[in-house]
Amino acid sequence: MPIDKSVVRIGNASGFYGDRFNAVSEMLTGGDLDYLTGDYLAELTMLILGRDRLKDPKTGYAKTFLRQMEGSLGLAMDNGVQIVVNAGGLNPHGLAVALRELADKLGLDTQVAFVDGDDLISRADELGFGAPLTANAYLGGFGIKAALDRGADVVVTGRVTDASLTVGPAAAAFGWCHRDLDALAGAVVAGHVIECGAQATGGNYAFFTELKSMGHLGFPIAELSADGSSVITKHAGTGGAVTVGTVTAQLLYEIGGPRYLGPDVTTRLDTIRLSQVGDDRVSITGVRGENPPSTLKVSLNHLAGIRNEVDVVLTGLDIEAKAALFQEQFMAALPVEPEQLEWELARLDRPDSDTEEGASALLRCVARDSDPKKVGRPFSATAVELGLATYPGFTLTAPPGNGTPFGVFTPGYVDAALVEHRVTQPDGVSVRIDPSPLRGEVVADTSEPTASTHTDWGTTRRAPLGEIAGARSGDKGGTANIGLWVRSDDEFTWLDETLTVEKVKELLPEVADLVVHRYRLPNLRAINFVIEEVLGRGVADNVRFDPQAKGMGEWLRSRHVDIPTRFNRKV
């Protein structure tokens, strides 16, 4: 049932599996909350949980959450805070059982519900997904709403969208239905802002040197209203800051075009309006929603084989000649060549360095094969055997190893009507959640050109792009996005005219031969670039220097461009 409040406070205490352990207790003791959410899942996490489940079918959920509840479940009950997390992973039922056992042990009458139906592994072949290790559809927020409506104190889910952890509580609090598209879209935006924890309060923020306190960042809170508008804030006295900038940065994280597709609503990111309405308070208004697509995205992970690597240090003069010599000798000495072999020379050295580390580069050789014997210890031991017979100054960063399994993430899509979205209530009754009756075709976003106008900006100076532009980058499978924003209308006009796809390829030569899409978000004074295949087959398979593209935006900010002298902002 809807609660009698004009505003509900939804906090977040986890942005990934491994986030700050004490954040749950800190959020519960730091101030008032109605709901506390936690995001524990990512594409790589699903692979990790899938491997756990292979070893023991009783596992497959985020065990960290259970340990957090040992000290915080009673506190949440005492404060009337309902908890919603996706820590159920591949086994939400197993986590629900473990939570009930914990509640009994603690003497608590805790009502636990779980949401499942996302796991399609038993139907993967018939749905055309082959034989993956994991296959999970991204569910929406109405299963969570149903559980909260029936009085659940804790709701654990499998693979729902990250924003659904916020959409579900908001829909329960205000009695929303599928037709409340604008309100749902507003909740999706609020959920996207808080889902990554401290990234909304100054973490990974391009202009971090401008923030007064970066010690022990607080976690974010969304104060949602019945119309879907919200204010993003944090508990008083915690570190970091909530500003238009920190919220903008998080909004640009891991997105594509202006239409943000979800199971309950397609959110128009180009309708968002942000405003600083107080210290550590940013309002989000004007968000519009459209019908959701007829399909659900599916997270597919496949075990692809074994990976091993050798990293050797090259110091001083003749770096490239040393690298060539070692590569030639190593290839000749290998007992058997693996299916895939990749070499990468990282020139971290600088001339006339006053430290040995500063004079050194790294040469990495990565091998992959379905046969562990081809990439096991004999592979890495080959480098050791060359120790006294190769270039001067030879050394390794690590001893020989046996290699580790690696996986590949690919997205899939399935008709929403074919997925049995279920919620099992505290009394054991299981209810099926129908998909949105509004689902249908969604207009595809198209890559947008630069502005047609060409302003005379007067004199310019050569300086890093990051002097005026912030950036946030991240990964989605093999694709990366870089969202850039500025802080005035004039600066956005200049950015829009200057930063073409061709210019980005010029500034980032590693992506010059790849497909790059460009999307404008004028309300946020932002442009988002989506770079296809820069991360290969995803983080678990990728051996790129920055496998999740977390630093790619900062690399772009460091590149020098001609900035109008009228923009004298210095970071």
Side-chain angles (χ1 to χ4, degrees):
M1 294 292 291
I3 63 177
D4 186 20
K5 278 192 174 186
S6 60
V7 173
V8 293
R9 286 169 57 90
I10 303 174
N12 170 278
S14 177
F16 66 99
Y17 192 9
D19 209 344
R20 194 162 81 218
F21 185 87
N22 291 332
V24 170
S25 59
E26 290 169 9
M27 290 297 286
L28 290 171
T29 58
D32 292 336
L33 291 176
D34 297 299
Y35 302 95
L36 183 62
T37 67
D39 179 11
Y40 292 79
L41 302 183
E43 293 158 0
L44 180 60
T45 312
M46 300 302 284
L47 176 65
I48 294 169
L49 295 177
R51 290 171 54 191
D52 287 348
R53 186 171 62 176
L54 279 179
K55 298 174 185 176
D56 183 356
K58 294 180 181 179
T59 61
Y61 57 79
K63 296 183 284 291
T64 297
F65 173 70
L66 194 60
R67 297 200 306 272
Q68 288 171 314
M69 287 296 96
E70 290 177 6
S72 296
L73 183 57
L75 188 59
M77 296 284 292
D78 290 343
N79 293 344
V81 178
Q82 293 169 281
I83 295 174
V84 180
V85 296
N86 61 13
L90 301 177
N91 189 8
H93 179 220
L95 178 56
V97 170
L99 280 169
R100 289 168 184 152
E101 292 174 349
L102 174 63
D104 290 343
K105 178 182 175 182
L106 297 174
L108 299 172
D109 182 21
T110 304
Q111 302 299 300
V112 180
F114 66 92
V115 176
D116 65 356
D118 60 295
D119 195 339
L120 306 178
I121 193 66
S122 63
R123 300 164 56 199
D125 189 48
E126 72 174 85
L127 293 172
F129 299 141
L133 175 66
T134 67
N136 296 81
Y138 287 81
L139 303 179
F142 280 87
I144 295 168
K145 176 186 183 298
L148 295 170
D149 285 346
R150 289 285 294 271
D153 300 305
V154 181
V155 183
V156 297
T157 77
R159 180 72 276 190
V160 300
T161 70
D162 299 345
S164 291
L165 300 172
T166 297
V167 172
F174 299 118
W176 294 339
C177 68
H178 286 291
R179 297 192 179 277
D180 295 311
L181 291 176
D182 290 346
L184 291 169
V188 166
V189 171
H192 182 55
V193 172
I194 71 171
E195 72 190 33
C196 289
Q199 279 197 168
T201 60
N204 295 332
Y205 181 53
F207 301 120
F208 70 96
T209 58
E210 298 179 3
L211 303 184
K212 293 180 180 178
S213 170
M214 284 293 288
H216 205 72
L217 301 189
F219 274 61
I221 299 166
E223 297 178 349
L224 271 144
S225 298
D227 63 355
S229 63
S230 63
V231 172
I232 306 301
T233 186
K234 63 186 183 71
H235 284 322
T238 56
V242 179
T243 68
V244 168
T246 66
V247 173
T248 298
Q250 176 55 25
L251 284 172
L252 296 174
Y253 185 58
E254 294 181 344
I255 64 168
R259 287 179 171 85
Y260 190 71
L261 276 59
D264 299 320
V265 62
T266 296
T267 301
R268 291 297 300 261
L269 300 179
D270 53 356
T271 63
I272 299 170
R273 294 194 177 277
L274 303 180
S275 180
Q276 194 80 42
V277 294
D279 290 342
D280 295 322
R281 296 182 64 79
V282 173
S283 70
I284 302 176
T285 58
V287 185
R288 302 298 301 274
E290 299 173 345
N291 62 278
S294 58
T295 58
L296 299 180
K297 184 179 178 180
V298 182
S299 171
L300 301 169
N301 282 285
H302 296 78
L303 282 177
I306 303 297
R307 181 173 69 187
N308 205 346
E309 71 178 67
V310 169
D311 294 280
V312 298
V313 181
L314 313 164
T315 304
L317 304 176
D318 305 317
I319 295 293
E320 293 188 5
K322 289 173 180 175
L325 173 61
F326 179 80
Q327 182 173 344
E328 179 184 356
Q329 291 177 313
F330 185 84
M331 293 297 296
L334 271 179
V336 59
E337 187 170 337
E339 292 173 0
Q340 298 178 45
L341 206 59
E342 294 182 24
W343 293 87
E344 181 181 20
L345 176 60
R347 293 299 303 266
L348 307 176
D349 56 302
R350 57 184 182 269
D352 195 23
S353 173
D354 58 2
T355 66
E356 182 177 347
E357 186 175 23
S360 299
L362 290 176
L363 177 64
R364 170 183 292 177
C365 179
V366 178
R368 302 182 187 85
D369 203 294
S370 56
D371 183 354
K373 295 179 181 178
K374 293 184 180 179
V375 290
R377 184 172 291 272
F379 165 80
S380 50
T382 299
V384 177
E385 293 175 356
L386 291 171
L388 303 181
T390 186
Y391 65 85
F394 168 85
T395 187
L396 287 161
T397 61
N402 289 320
T404 57
F406 74 96
V408 173
F409 166 84
T410 55
Y413 296 90
V414 62
D415 188 329
L418 298 178
V419 178
E420 191 176 343
H421 184 177
R422 295 184 303 267
V423 55
T424 301
Q425 309 290 3
D427 58 9
V429 175
S430 190
V431 178
R432 178 164 180 162
I433 306 299
D434 292 329
S436 172
L438 305 180
R439 66 191 187 279
E441 294 300 315
V442 175
V443 177
D445 289 322
T446 57
S447 188
E448 300 179 60
T450 55
S452 58
T453 58
H454 296 282
T455 307
D456 180 4
W457 295 103
T459 60
T460 61
R461 58 191 173 87
R462 196 75 176 165
L465 175 62
E467 284 198 3
I468 65 167
R472 176 64 59 79
S473 58
D475 64 308
K476 277 296 179 186
T479 296
N481 90 291
I482 306 176
L484 294 109
W485 81 98
V486 289
R487 295 177 286 183
S488 76
D489 292 340
D490 277 355
E491 289 173 346
F492 177 69
T493 301
W494 171 81
L495 186 73
D496 193 20
E497 292 180 3
T498 302
L499 216 57
T500 63
V501 167
E502 292 72 25
K503 187 64 174 178
V504 168
K505 289 186 174 185
E506 175 191 326
L507 295 173
L508 306 182
E510 290 180 12
V511 310
D513 296 327
L514 302 177
V515 175
V516 178
H517 304 279
R518 182 184 191 272
Y519 303 104
R520 300 173 70 249
L521 297 167
N523 283 7
L524 300 177
R525 301 191 185 103
I527 301 172
N528 188 47
F529 293 92
V530 177
I531 306 167
E532 294 186 10
E533 299 181 350
V534 66
L535 304 179
R537 296 187 295 176
V539 59
D541 173 61
N542 182 16
V543 296
R544 188 178 177 276
F545 178 73
D546 176 20
Q548 292 181 282
K550 304 304 184 187
M552 187 172 282
E554 288 301 295
W555 177 27
L556 182 54
R557 291 183 70 235
S558 74
R559 298 309 309 270
H560 286 222
V561 295
D562 294 321
I563 298 176
T565 54
R566 70 172 77 172
F567 304 148
N568 59 1
R569 191 190 301 271
K570 289 290 184 78
V571 179

